Amino acid sequence: MKHTLKITLILVLIFFISQLVGLSIINKYIDHKTTATTGNVTWTALPYNIARPEVEQNTSFLYILFAVLIGTALVLLLIKFKVTNIWKIWFFFSVVICLSIAFAAFVNSILAFVIAIILAIFKVFKPNFYVHNFTELFLYGGLAAIFVPMLNLFSASILLILIALYDMYAVWKSKHMIKMAKFQTESKVFAGFLVPYTLPKKEKIKGQVKKIKVKVKNAILGGGDVAFPLLFEGVILQNLVNSSQYVLNPALTYLQALIVPFFVSIALFWLFMKAEKDKFYPAMPFVAAGCFVGYGVLFLLKFIF
């Protein structure tokens, strides 16, 4: 077992909640009234005049894969030249954009932007366990609201397979994914969930509360392992909304989409249970398998009922 059972359950639970939150954000950006009228999924515009890239759905996975590779190359350059401040600024603006889009699904866009900036400041410059993981719950939903409309089931499936293969190469062969994870952790600016084994201790010294600085072991789950299954699940939700059943029962349609993240969470739990301590594993192959199994179960249930 890679982590203790308690830490494993917390990490998997946080992951599952992030998928539920992400699907809720994606669902909010669907124009349900127009969709019910036309029978085709219609997306509402993103706030702040942010435009979604106009690409062909069948080949959109190439656009996203290229963006991932370029982003990885830039991060590796920052690691090579030890330019932590540029990484923090880049990460800060990315967090603000994604959180603003996520929060704007529920509140006024101006208020969403203000909340996003405040949380991003704490996340990047005054990091702590609570703010970090809370923002991570919403980040990937904001990202998915941009990219899910670009994808269809074919491109989302190919993207999962290619990212899973890339993850295996990056962890087991080139090992640059491990280098990136260590760089992010050391800079205290990490994309993904982070669960400490113990929280920082405090003690009173002459009436003052002082934190005791100790090296704390953390359980981590990379941001890509959260984002890519959510893109696939968003496409599944999009397909379900396109079905005639959606008009009859929108709530049931949304609940059906939750079958996929349930199986992805099981796959992630299985990985943590089988993995060995202090070893790095590519999570995407297991996450991708969970996505396909979940979709297979959903397809089977729809066929039976």
Side-chain angles (χ1 to χ4, degrees):
M1 184 186 293
K2 187 171 179 64
H3 306 294
T4 65
L5 181 59
K6 177 183 176 181
I7 294 297
T8 297
L9 290 173
I10 292 174
L11 202 55
V12 172
L13 178 61
I14 293 176
F15 169 82
F16 183 68
I17 293 172
S18 74
Q19 303 301 288
L20 301 189
V21 172
L23 282 173
S24 297
I25 292 169
I26 295 169
N27 192 49
K28 284 284 186 178
Y29 277 101
I30 295 176
D31 185 340
H32 292 280
K33 185 176 180 180
T34 304
T35 298
T37 302
T38 63
N40 294 312
V41 173
T42 303
W43 298 89
T44 59
L46 295 171
Y48 321 111
N49 294 319
I50 297 174
R52 296 183 178 97
E54 295 183 8
V55 294
E56 174 62 38
Q57 283 190 329
N58 284 331
T59 57
S60 57
F61 65 92
L62 294 173
Y63 175 92
I64 297 174
L65 186 64
F66 181 72
V68 170
L69 295 176
I70 292 296
T72 301
L74 290 174
V75 173
L76 289 174
L77 280 175
L78 295 179
I79 295 173
K80 181 178 180 180
F81 294 104
K82 299 179 180 179
V83 193
T84 305
N85 288 335
I86 294 179
W87 163 244
K88 286 187 175 182
I89 294 171
W90 177 12
F91 191 79
F92 173 80
F93 283 109
S94 299
V95 168
V96 169
I97 292 171
C98 290
L99 284 183
S100 295
I101 293 173
F103 293 148
F106 306 101
V107 299
N108 176 274
S109 60
I110 296 176
L111 178 59
F113 184 67
V114 172
I115 296 173
I117 288 180
I118 293 172
L119 288 174
I121 290 172
F122 279 98
K123 182 181 182 69
V124 177
F125 302 108
K126 293 287 184 180
N128 67 73
F129 160 74
Y130 300 105
V131 172
H132 175 84
N133 286 316
F134 175 77
T135 53
E136 290 292 305
L137 291 175
F138 291 87
L139 268 174
Y140 305 103
L143 191 67
I146 300 174
F147 291 105
V148 167
M150 297 167 48
L151 297 162
N152 57 21
L153 186 58
F154 170 78
S155 57
S157 299
I158 296 298
L159 180 63
L160 270 184
I161 294 170
L162 292 178
I163 291 295
L165 292 173
Y166 168 71
D167 198 22
M168 287 189 287
Y169 172 81
V171 174
W172 284 333
K173 188 69 175 177
S174 70
K175 301 186 185 301
H176 69 265
M177 195 67 75
I178 299 173
K179 186 185 295 185
M180 289 170 57
K182 289 181 177 179
F183 168 75
Q184 292 182 59
T185 304
E186 290 169 3
S187 65
K188 297 182 180 180
V189 178
F190 180 76
F193 291 110
L194 189 151
V195 180
Y197 271 64
T198 57
L199 294 175
K201 295 181 180 180
K202 297 179 180 181
E203 66 174 9
K204 288 186 178 181
I205 303 177
K206 294 183 179 180
Q208 294 182 342
V209 177
K210 185 179 180 180
K211 284 186 179 180
I212 302 175
K213 292 184 178 180
V214 294
K215 190 173 182 180
V216 178
K217 182 179 178 182
N218 296 306
I220 62 174
L221 180 66
D225 304 324
V226 184
F228 287 110
L230 182 58
L231 293 180
F232 182 82
E233 293 156 10
V235 172
I236 298 301
L237 176 62
Q238 178 180 245
N239 287 357
L240 288 170
V241 170
N242 255 334
S243 68
S244 58
Q245 187 181 32
Y246 164 76
V247 179
L248 299 175
N249 199 331
L252 180 60
T253 300
Y254 177 74
L255 289 174
Q256 287 177 332
L258 302 186
I259 292 175
V260 180
F262 175 76
F263 278 92
V264 178
S265 299
I266 292 176
L268 196 61
F269 179 76
W270 186 85
L271 168 62
F272 287 139
M273 293 297 290
K274 294 296 182 181
E276 297 179 17
K277 290 182 179 180
D278 302 320
K279 285 189 177 182
F280 288 90
Y281 294 84
M284 276 306 303
F286 301 90
V287 167
C291 285
F292 292 132
V293 170
Y295 177 67
V297 172
L298 174 61
F299 181 83
L300 185 62
L301 290 175
K302 287 188 67 179
F303 179 78
I304 295 174
F305 299 104

